[in-house]
Amino acid sequence: MAESTASQIIDAVGGPGNIKSLTHCATRLRFELVDAGKVDQNRLEHMKGVLGAVPQSGNRYQVVIGGGVASMYDKIMQLPQMANIGGGEVNNDGSKKLSNAEVKAQERSKVKGKHAWVDNFFEFLSDTFRPIINVLLGASLIIAILNVLIACHVISNDTESPTLLLCKAAYEGVFYFLPIMIAYNGAKKLKVDGWVGATIMAALMTPQFMALSAPDKWSGIFGDKSGLAAAKGALNCVTNATLGTQSCTTKVFGLPLQLNDYSGSVFVPLFMVAVLALVYKGLERIIPDSVQMVFVPFLSMVIMIPVTAFLLGPLGVWVGNGLGVGLAWLNNNAPFIFAILIPMLYPFLVPLGLHWPLNALMLVNINTLGYDFIQGPIGVWNFACFGATAGVLVIAMREKNVDMRQTAFGALMAGLLGGVSEPSLYGIHLRYKLVYKRMLIGCFVGGVVIAILGWIFPSTLANGQVVHGVTTTAFAFTSLLTIPVFSQMWVYAIAIAVAFFLSMFLIITLDYRTPEQKAADHAVEAQQAMDEVEAPAAPAAVSDNTAATATATAIATKTATDTVVAPVAGHVISLDEAGDPVFASRALGEGVGIQPTDSTVYALVSGELSTVAETGHAFGIKTDDGVEVLVHVGIDTVKMNGEGFTPAVTKGQRVNAGDKLVTVDFDKVKAAGFNTVTLITVLNTAALGGVTPKTGIDVKPGDAVLEISR
């Protein structure tokens, strides 16, 4: 369609100022207008690319586009004048259908309270870690692949092997320099020069600073051997028996300086950028604008490098070590509580953005303990989440729900291959809250499995330490590809398999929707199925006499359809009298309505069933010679969700005129308040020579009601 059509439609409905909202279904643009009286009906009806224009109750208005409605909607919403107009798809109940980002924002808004600093703290953590998630994911996959190659003896496990050292460098660079990345992101989040934050953190990771705690290691690099010797003599080191780490102090400027290896640190850069923001912005207030570019970064570095080295660095290490020791104690002394609590709690933390502190602790554990024990139980939650999505996918495939099938399939692949749960959460789980009830059972049982097996079969670390539960030495996104990074891999594999398949089974068995949601989904599916055949097929352009002759010959070889017969006994009326403005507009082709006097509806032509609404109220048949016919039983009967309708056919089935399509309890239809008139139209009327209705007569099944000419 021409690009200008979008602008023409907006002008014809009264301009952007007359539009409250715009949505679309499978074939129609649905406007809610300020004043429907401003619509230029005649212009719309004769506009290229528009199949019909139908006023609705109130100030609602429909413009029938056909199969290209989604493209036309996008073109309209991209118009500059539509920038402030509400749009988007709608839910089955008519409310606005939220995007995944809007679902995420809605969930996170639930924890926003009176204390703004709490909201800001979690937002700071989220925005600091989110930009580096991709490289962390990449590093975790490298670790997984490396473990597989070592297990298959493709690469030697010799720690002196140049090949292994290069492979380790490929991922350890991410974790070693993680504090610099965190400092950069955190500083930017606090509106401070990110490179200043990165530089301050980098200063504590230079060979010069590292030489203070390991003079012998660096004596061959620096020329000042006597200075290194003095540093060695000033060292005072203490070993932490619980963590197996060594802490050293020395004297600098006559002050005690605790020396730490800050590679892989998480809390230190977080503490540092928080103080840096105060210092940096304070300097901006007192230093003239003309020299801020030089002196604000300079003074920030002069102040913050020693403050971080003497105070914030040791504080961050102390906090990280304390949390690591506490969680390690809980994991070893109360494994059941720990292994069950984490997968049960995490599903509620992720949507609210409150899971980042736990992610930080995983990195702290790897840096201080040399391993992490949180990710195993988190894997249980992740695979319970993916299992629930798989269950939704099975139901969507069974019900031929194309939209949900696409959503679930994409989310499942993102989970199983990438370990990313957000597409499942925001795309499905938080929209259908019953998913959580099924999924949490999988989380609980998977947690019990990992607790029991992890206790009976503990992990033995390289240093001989015995640790209960499943451990890993890498920060891994828990996917199928990262299973090899876990120690006691078979325990982990059993636990996540139980969580996955139990959640999947519960969703398939009990469904993920309430009865109301399920009925609404079925109604929408039926409407979409009918909409697939709503748009008249445009006649193919004949480029020359040869093509025209070939087409005529092909049609001649088939039995010509020249009549459409009554599918049900009753009185024939015109579409104008039927009571449905869309059908009356002839946007769906010429046809008739029949006021039924019998309960059985039969095929009105011979051909293939191109559409069979699951609710049993609509059927599309395409004849061998290309005539497309629709029979729609009742008006708005899609809302009955199949009650009173007993279909006798399925989509794709061939039928002959007179074969039974559906049995209808018209008394039930009337009792529900719906019009029982059965509508018959030839959808591709525009491609034919003409369709002539026979109205005002009483008919029985098989009597002609439409005459077709070529």
Side-chain angles (χ1 to χ4, degrees), residues 51 533-538 561-565 575 582-583 585-593 604-605 619-623 625-632 679-694 705-710:
L51 302 179
V533 296
E534 281 187 357
T561 303
D562 53 14
T563 60
V564 175
V565 302
L575 292 179
V582 174
F583 281 93
S585 72
R586 271 55 174 194
L588 304 181
E590 183 61 87
V592 297
L604 57 181
V605 290
F619 303 84
I621 304 176
K622 184 174 183 179
T623 67
D625 59 334
V627 178
E628 299 174 21
V629 183
L630 172 71
V631 55
H632 191 286
L679 300 156
I680 302 104
T681 64
V682 177
L683 295 168
N684 58 340
T685 295
L688 303 172
V691 176
T692 305
K694 295 183 175 182
V705 291
L706 294 173
E707 297 288 347
I708 296 175
S709 58
R710 297 289 179 174

Side-chain angles (χ1 to χ4, degrees), residues 41 76 185 187 319 330 665:
Q41 176 94 8
I76 289 175
N185 291 333
V319 170
L330 181 63
D665 186 341

Side-chain angles (χ1 to χ4, degrees), residues 118 237 429 434 552 594 649:
V118 176
C237 298
H429 299 189
L434 282 182
I594 298 179
V649 292

Side-chain angles (χ1 to χ4, degrees), residues 303-316:
I303 295 170
M304 288 305 302
I305 289 175
V307 167
T308 305
F310 280 96
L311 179 62
L312 300 178
L315 176 63

